[in-house]
Amino acid sequence: MTTTSATEAAEAAPVAPITPAEGPSPATGSALDTAHAQLAAAVDILGYDDGLHTMLRMPRREMHVAVPLRRDDGTTQVLHGFRVQHNVSLGPGKGGLRYHPNVEIDEVRALAMWMTWKCGVVNLPYGGAKGGVAIDPRGYSAGELERVTRRYTSEIMPMIGPDNDIMAPDMGTDAQTMAWVMDTYSVAKGYTIPAVVTGKPLAVGGSLGRGTATSAGLVHVTAAALADAGVPLEGTTVAIQGFGKVGGHAAEIFAERGAKVVAVSDEYGGIRNDAGLDVPRLMEHVLATGSVVGFDESDPITNTALLALDVDVLAPAAIEGVLDEHTAGSVRARWVVEGANGPTTEAGDALLAKNDVTVVPDVLANAGGVVVSYFEWVQANQTYWWTEQEIAEKLGSRMHQAYRDVAELARREDLSLRDAAITIGVQRVAEAHQIRGLYP
Ligand code: NAD
């Protein structure tokens, strides 16, 4: 459905000027500041010099494209689109496509950098990339979203491909979006190329298990972190911010594994029930109404209050920067498991550490999605598809291995799980740089 207010909001959306990627970030506490601070900490741990630090910090390639859209009412609107390849030393760039009104170049740079470290942590032959269009998809018809997606794909065509940059869904995009990207790319090349995207529908070469992979991976690493402290997952209380592809399925899987999901939220508000929410019924409510708000057998709660609930596990699974200098100090959970990318700022991290909250970082906690994306790409390249059980087992073993690698380094060097995870990711990329050498 097209609404005037959404059109106006999208047209009025500020577009940040492009600043040099290697220069100082514009605002303290932005996603890019957070990503840069995390890299600097890892570089310090690894003792790398300034030259290597700069190589690891600067994106390899970026595109900023205009995406003209013919709206259903006949008017034309021009949207801003971005694609950033942060690093391609270990293989093709890999990363999602985000549709959100606040998308801007520095956010995409941060998200692309996190993809690089994430692929390193779970040991995939990929670099990191990310894309986005500054649009609020809720205000556009399916036809308009298809036209935006096809035009954006066409504009960034020189950067993408199954061997150089592979997209996947992120906030505001889904399997249908990926099918449009795949079709546009394939039509341009003259034959069907399923491996140009992952997270596409099964009918056009998607993988079983991709839709729930990020959430399944998140629950695997949560269970592993709890087990390290001798705590079983069964019976633990969980609060989840964000009830989309990551948060919604995470709630389902936590509940299936016997944890008690006591609060969830989305952009419209939150709900709580200390006895545990009936997640399957809640899914039906969300399907029918578009939000968790108004679910019976629950009380309302704000997004900010949810972050401060007295629960065992808090899983921020919506947007960046929600745990900052104002909110992180009130967190009472013993574990924060980051479903979202970059939900904790540098100041937030310091407060959580001070209060002995264990943070399972995004590059580990939400890596299940890219792991099964990799499986999907491998299957598409081989045109041979695996069973759901094979995928679930391979995902489980990768996630547990990644957790063990990170936890072991953290213990050995007395690091936070975040510093350990980023250090592993950075080290794997830097090793590839050093072995490949510098051209020319
Ligand atoms: P989505 O669009 O499917 O869902 C986002 C959810 O967050 C929705 O419930 C939305 O209402 C909620 N939300 C948005 N703004 C909010 C706000 N200000 N306060 C509270 N809730 C808000 O997106 P998704 O794919 O679930 O992605 C969520 C996060 O997980 C993003 O940070 C994304 O980068 C990250 N992530 C996603 C995947 C994946 O496979 N989809 C993989 C790794 C990381």
Side-chain angles (χ1 to χ4, degrees):
M1 198 186 72
T2 306
T3 64
T4 312
S5 58
T7 311
E8 283 164 359
E11 279 169 354
V15 175
I18 301 209
T19 51
E22 76 279 21
S25 304
T28 312
S30 72
L32 192 58
D33 283 335
T34 304
H36 282 167
Q38 292 168 358
L39 170 62
V43 163
D44 208 34
I45 291 162
L46 290 161
Y48 293 161
D49 62 25
D50 288 349
L52 185 52
H53 186 175
T54 307
M55 290 251 295
L56 293 164
R57 186 174 145 112
M58 266 188 80
R60 287 284 84 77
R61 281 185 205 103
E62 304 184 336
M63 272 186 104
H64 177 180
V65 295
V67 186
L69 164 68
R70 192 178 60 257
R71 302 234 33 192
D72 289 342
D73 64 7
T75 60
T76 300
Q77 184 183 359
V78 183
L79 302 156
H80 293 260
F82 309 93
R83 187 76 190 169
V84 173
Q85 288 170 3
H86 169 257
N87 194 287
V88 290
S89 295
L90 282 164
K94 183 82 191 79
L97 171 63
R98 178 173 291 196
Y99 287 176
H100 190 277
N102 297 344
V103 164
E104 45 83 31
I105 186 68
D106 275 347
E107 182 193 48
V108 181
R109 286 170 176 156
L111 291 163
M113 182 185 279
W114 284 323
M115 283 307 299
T116 304
W117 315 143
K118 191 182 302 182
C119 292
V121 170
V122 284
N123 222 350
L124 301 179
Y126 284 146
K130 202 81 182 191
V133 177
I135 182 175
D136 184 347
R138 294 168 308 176
Y140 293 80
S141 69
E144 289 173 326
L145 291 174
E146 178 174 354
R147 293 198 287 281
V148 167
T149 303
R150 289 186 183 278
R151 183 60 186 254
Y152 167 76
T153 304
S154 173
E155 294 293 340
I156 62 158
M157 192 84 72
M159 272 182 89
I160 59 170
D163 298 322
N164 53 343
D165 187 343
I166 305 141
M167 256 186 252
D170 189 72
M171 272 181 85
T173 60
D174 58 16
Q176 177 61 71
T177 322
M178 292 304 110
W180 291 328
V181 173
M182 188 270 244
D183 184 69
T184 308
Y185 186 82
S186 298
V187 168
K189 299 294 172 189
Y191 59 102
T192 300
I193 308 171
V196 68
V197 295
T198 59
K200 57 194 169 291
L202 283 179
V204 290
S207 175
L208 291 164
R210 175 60 183 89
T212 51
T214 308
S215 317
L218 182 139
V219 178
H220 278 305
V221 295
T222 306
L226 264 57
D228 258 356
V231 177
L233 184 60
E234 205 176 344
T236 50
T237 51
V238 180
I240 304 174
Q241 183 185 60
F243 205 76
K245 294 183 288 298
V246 179
H249 291 307
E252 271 182 320
I253 300 169
F254 271 124
E256 277 162 20
R257 292 196 52 181
K260 209 197 285 181
V261 180
V262 297
V264 297
S265 68
D266 58 29
E267 66 205 282
Y268 306 104
I271 55 167
R272 72 181 288 187
N273 180 340
D274 293 349
L277 292 158
D278 182 340
V279 179
R281 278 196 54 237
L282 174 60
M283 291 303 250
E284 284 169 21
H285 171 83
V286 172
L287 217 59
T289 67
S291 172
V292 299
V293 173
F295 182 58
D296 55 9
E297 294 173 26
S298 73
D299 297 314
I301 184 171
T302 64
N303 262 292
T304 312
L306 179 141
L307 298 174
L309 279 178
D310 189 7
V311 286
D312 299 310
V313 175
L314 170 66
I319 49 165
E320 292 106 62
V322 291
L323 292 171
D324 61 10
E325 67 271 34
H326 307 295
T327 55
S330 332
V331 169
R332 284 186 286 165
R334 188 165 160 203
W335 290 272
V336 167
V337 186
E338 297 183 331
N341 286 308
T344 310
T345 66
E346 201 186 351
D349 240 353
L351 282 169
L352 292 172
K354 187 169 143 241
N355 294 338
D356 285 329
V357 179
T358 301
V359 178
V360 185
D362 46 10
V363 292
L364 171 63
N366 68 33
V370 75
V371 167
V372 177
S373 274
Y374 167 62
F375 296 161
E376 181 177 332
W377 179 76
V378 168
Q379 292 170 87
N381 280 326
Q382 295 179 334
T383 56
Y384 180 80
W385 275 265
W386 308 337
T387 65
E388 191 152 17
Q389 196 187 341
E390 282 175 294
I391 287 163
E393 283 168 10
K394 287 180 204 294
L395 171 66
S397 75
R398 284 243 176 199
M399 295 307 295
H400 281 280
Q401 182 61 52
Y403 179 81
R404 277 195 300 276
D405 289 349
V406 170
E408 196 188 300
L409 179 66
R411 256 191 300 272
R412 204 173 59 232
E413 301 292 329
D414 194 20
L415 302 173
S416 67
L417 291 176
R418 184 179 322 278
D419 280 345
I422 304 262
T423 297
I424 288 173
V426 168
Q427 190 171 25
R428 286 185 175 147
V429 174
E431 194 184 356
H433 277 215
Q434 281 157 341
I435 292 171
R436 289 177 59 156
L438 194 58
Y439 175 85

